[in-house]
Structures are given as C-alpha cells and as structure tokens.
Amino acid sequence: MAPETGPDVAFLKLAPASTLVGRKALVRATETPRPKLPVAVIGYPARDSRFSDRALAEKIFGGVFDKKRVAVGQILGAGADEITHGCSTLGGNSGSPVIDIGSGEVVGLHYRGIEFVENDAVSVPMLNRCLERARAIQGVGGLAVSKDESQDARGRDGVVQVGSTPGSVTFTIPLRITVELGGIAASPFTAAALPTIASGALPASEVGGPVDKQRLAQAVVNARALLANRADVVAIKPGYRFADGAITDEKAVVVSVRRKIERSSLESRGVLALPTQIDGVRVDVAVATTADLCGEGTGIGEEARVPSWHTAYEKRPDLPMTRRSAQMRFVIHSGPDSGWPQLSKFLKATRKSLAVAMYEFGAPHIVDGVIAGVKGAKETIGLVLQLGGHVGSGTKKDDFTDAETVDRIREAKKSKFDFAAASVGKAGIFDSAYHIKVAVRDSRSLWLSSGSWQTSNQPNVDPLTEDSTPAALRQFNREWHVILDNAELAELFANHIERDLKEARETEEAPAPAEPLVFVPAGMLADLEAAAKPRYFPPLEGRRMLDVHPILTPDNYIETVLPFIQAARRSVLFQNQSFNTKTVGGDYGKLLDALLAKQQEGLDVRVIFRSFGPDDRDTISFAKDYGFDSGRIRIQKNCHTKGIIVDGEAALVGSHNWTTAGTGFNRDASLIFYDREIAEFYRALFEYDWERIGPARIDETLPPPILVSPGEETVPPPGYVAVPRSVLLGR
C-alpha cells in the first residue's frame, strides 16, 4: 500500500480463528519518537546469507533463528516518513513492530537494515496514511475506491479509482492517467506497481567526452526530471566525481542520498540502483550534506541562494585598531599543547579586574579559575557572552551551559559582576555570532585565542608534562593562543569590551533566538591523523619590541587582511575552521580572490580546514570550482584555528572564520604579528599538521547530518557532534 517510491508496507485483514480473550491490540504512537528513546523490535530474525560476518550473527543470536525474538536498542533518528533504530535484526525481521519500551506503543514498522550502521522503519504517520488507503479497498475487486476526490488535496497519494466508463481505471499519483481496456467488462483487477521513472529511460551513450558547464547543467536538469520522485534522493546538483574519497577533475552529476549502499546490497533489497551516467555525464552518488537537507544544495556552477547579512554596529574612531610597535612580554602558544596551563596562569595573576568577551563559556575548570582569579571583595569582572553554547556530549559532556556559568559567577561576585548577553540576530547589533575570544586582565594584559572557554577548546590537560598524551590531539581542538603584557593594547580591547557590554544591555530586550543546530557525524579521518606520532609544541615566550596590528570585526578585518595577503611574495599558509567559497557576500570575495591570485601566481598557497563529515565534499568541490588547487587542500578533524602565515615573516592569529559573516558582520578579534620568530612558531605548527593529516579524503561511509530545530534535543546521538547550522552553511 505504500507509494512506489516508499518503503515496503502490506496489510492483512484476518478472520478470527480463535478467541481474542487475553490479547491486546498494538497501539500506534501519536507523537514522533525522540532520539535515544529505548525501543524493542519483536520479530523473527532468520539465518541471513547476506550478513557479512556469519560467525558474529551466530554469536549474537545464539545460533537460534526463525524464532520470535526481542531485540532492544535506541531510536537513532526520526523523520516524517521513516525512523532509524539500533536494534539487532536480520532478514526475516521485516514487518517487526518497533515498540517504545516505556509506553508499549508502536513507533514504527521495521523493513530493512544496513549491517553495523542502522535499521530503517516506516514511521507511524506513513503507516497511518497507508492504512487509510488499505481500508479503502472494498466493493470493487482489488481496487481502491475513492468517492471523494478532494482526498487527494489532503495529501493522499497513489489513489486508484474505478472509472465511470466500464473497463477503465484512473490512477491519481497525483497525475491522473486513465487506462481504457477496449470494452472489457469490469472485473477484479490487481494494481501492479508502477515502474520507477528512471528505469530504462536513460540514454545509452557511453560516459566520455569533454563536459563543459552547459552540458553538465543540462544533464542535471535531465537527472532531476528522471530521479526527483525517488524517496531516497535528497538533491541533484552539478559537481565532481570523487574516487577513493579524493576529488577528481571529472565533472559529474552528483546525486545526494541519505545513505550510500553498495549496488549488490541494493539489488538484494529489491531497490533499483541509480544510473551510472546521464546523457554521457557520469553520475556520482554522495551522502546528503547539510545544504542538501536544508534545500540549499544548488550545486557547483549554479547561482547559490545568497542569504542576507546585517550589522547595526557603529565604528568607534575614538578606539582605533591601528598597527603599532611596543615593548611587551609575550607567550605564543597552541592547543591542546599548552592552552589551559597558560590560561590558568593568566587568570591566577588577576589583581583588580577581568574583562571578558566570549562566544561560549562552560568548562568547569575555567569557571573555577575565573572565580578564583577575582576572589577578593574588590576585584571586578565584566562579561559579554553569547548565550546558548552547546554542551552535554563528547568532550563537553560535563560543561555548564552559558546560563549556568553566568549564575555561578553572579553568585560568587554579586555586585562586582557586570554582565550582558551579546546582541546578535536580526534585532541585534551583530549578524549571527558574538564570536570573539578575548580576556583583559587589570587593563594591562591581554589573552586572545581562536577557541572559546569550553573543554573542547581549552581542555584541562597538560600534554607537555603528562605521560599519556596521544589522545589529546585526537580528542580536542587545534587552537592558536596569544598572551601579551602591554597596557596600550590591553586597554584598547578592554574599552571595546566595555562598549560592547553597554550597547548589548541596551538591546537585551530583543534576545537572539536559539540558533538551529546540526548533528554532524564525527568521522575519524583516522588513517594518517591518528596513526601519526603526536608532537606537542612548548610555548614561545619572550620580552621585546613587537610590531602588532589589532583587528576587530566589523571594524577593520577585510581592509587590514587584504593587503596582508596581497603583500605575499613566497607563501601563504592558511588554517581555518571555515573556508566558504559558496555563499560569498559583502567584501569577503576580495579575500578569496587575493588568496587565489597568489596561488595562481605560483606561490606556495596551502589550505587546511575543519572536517564536518559529509559536508567536506561540498567545501572541497566549491573551492575547486572557485579555482583553488584541490591538491593543496587538506582536512583536519578538530581544526578550530583561524590563522594565516605569510612568507614565514608575519602571522595572523584570532577568531575570524572565513565566511561573509565572520569577516564582515559578526564580532571577532585577531592580531597580526609582523615578527619572524612568531611566524616561524606557527609555520612549524602548520607544517606538522599538514604532514600529520595527509591528503584530503572524504569519508563516504558516514551517515548524513541530522537537522535540529530550535527547542529540540540539543545532545547529539553517539558518534555525532553538535554544530551551529550557520557554520555549516557558510554564513
């Protein structure tokens, strides 16, 4: 009874052969099951020759098959038509109810599994729709009778209606097709399954020949016409073929699906495989990205749906962010190598005041360190913080929420605590994020970083002195940090933070809405990155004259960094969480063009960006389409750095993502050091990461991201991490 493109569903109406006393009907749930809900599948797992590890199947099921079994697990994800679960199943389990252990209600009907990954079940809303159609089968042979054609407008699909002319039948799918049977009298018919629209309809020409933009665009149009009705297809777009996880130069029609399955496995499940080519252009099947799931997967070479950006920020000419040279003490360091050990000493040295501008703040050891640093009755703390940090799982499973952090500091400091929630969002000052990571101590010392005050960014570890340190590089983010003792710079940033706090308080009546999250499969990128021998870099410390240019957004990032890149003569080493070449607005394109121009001039221009699971494919593809050499791009699992090194002579360190909002409309802070020794410190760090992570490879075995609406569960399921949607969409 399911639509042709839907899952297998059949209903049997049974005449009772024995008493129903003592039997209870299975009750269908009325609400969508939440992730991690404990469930059980009850069915008849059979000895399955398709299962790759038969010895393991024997062990799991105790060598007993074709008997009624209960398998427990959790809900992994839930959509409108389908849910996924983690209960153990085999062939023979199709049709097993998936039951909420707590309520006893049926939340789905199991119909297939992907071994070691997940199981799929038909959702209750889909079951209800199919059951309505099944109940309509009455009165005329085996055909569904619909006396009220307005049903279709209410969303029933696949209705089959006996026509008013004898020997005719009408299918509404929602197209209406009337089949005349040449005067044959009405008799019992069986409605055969309609063929998949792509079956046998593709051109027979061989893949090959040059594929220009126009030919690729036409192939995409044809692919959408042929495949758009398939329930397993999420998006169809132009792109590139990937081989063994690496991008190639061959243009391809990219068909995004919720899960990549081997062709032989598809055939064994009775699912029609996607075509290998359309109009002689290769088809490359990919796991759906965040943009695909959000309906923004417009594809390579097409005009992207460009969002709007805004800022109500007014620049402050009385607080100029100008280049300056001054005598100062410095601590140049990285994370997880020495992030918290240095930050801890910075906080302990507080004597009068602490001014903090922060994106996320919840690491318990840092909360304790801040309170201890301003423990006296006279010490003050001012804090501007974007509320809504994402905690509760992974390395942040024990972190406080931002609101809990504020409450703890307020309880400890009472009237000596000055706080304002950052002003972001449509009604706020900054576009989408108060993304800055700066602390000023006693108006004399400055701490600036790429990483917020969460455990993922500033873990309570000291790999330089601890014995068991290999896990630190795999667990925690790569960050760049700076501590400077210079009253002029410290006071400049303190004044900006104070002004931010004042202006945020004036707009607190319109708080920013919670930003939608995406749960991204973490992936491992394990082969080279995890196998490499860990190396941890001790801080570079000293006291001398430094040439420094402070940067704030929206104040002066683009106008400062553009000539910084344009001045390169030998190399530009770029390491950033984000590298968005798709949604380009404002003056951000000038930065991309400058970096590309240097690569095309023959300079050593290399790019490292962060891995976000299936989204990596789009990031690499769009960068290649923009003109960048994909062979000079690598992906790092926990890259959170936002740094640029030019000619080994100067280095930029800070919090600016390379997106339109990050470089022009959010609140971020960075420093450029025109200093060979500091640049060399970060160059060595970059080279180590470059060699450790190896050539860019995407993991095509990962499941797609999971979109999360505001107000929904913010703790990702096992194997996933929570990421703000704007980060993944390159806002």
Side-chain angles (χ1 to χ4, degrees), residues 222 272 542 598 619:
N222 293 342
L272 185 66
K598 291 301 174 182
T619 306

Side-chain angles (χ1 to χ4, degrees), residues 98-154:
V98 183
I99 297 176
D100 178 347
I101 292 176
S103 68
E105 296 178 336
V106 175
V107 297
L109 186 72
H110 173 83
Y111 74 96
R112 72 176 179 189
I114 303 172
E115 62 180 74
F116 306 123
V117 179
E118 68 179 29
N119 289 309
D120 299 320
V122 185
S123 71
V124 168
M126 171 65 86
L127 281 175
N128 290 339
R129 294 196 296 273
C130 293
L131 186 57
E132 287 179 16
R133 289 198 292 275
R135 284 172 173 164
I137 301 177
Q138 56 187 348
V140 184
L143 296 176
V145 178
S146 172
K147 296 180 180 179
D148 180 6
E149 292 189 9
S150 66
Q151 293 172 1
D152 298 343
R154 296 198 299 269

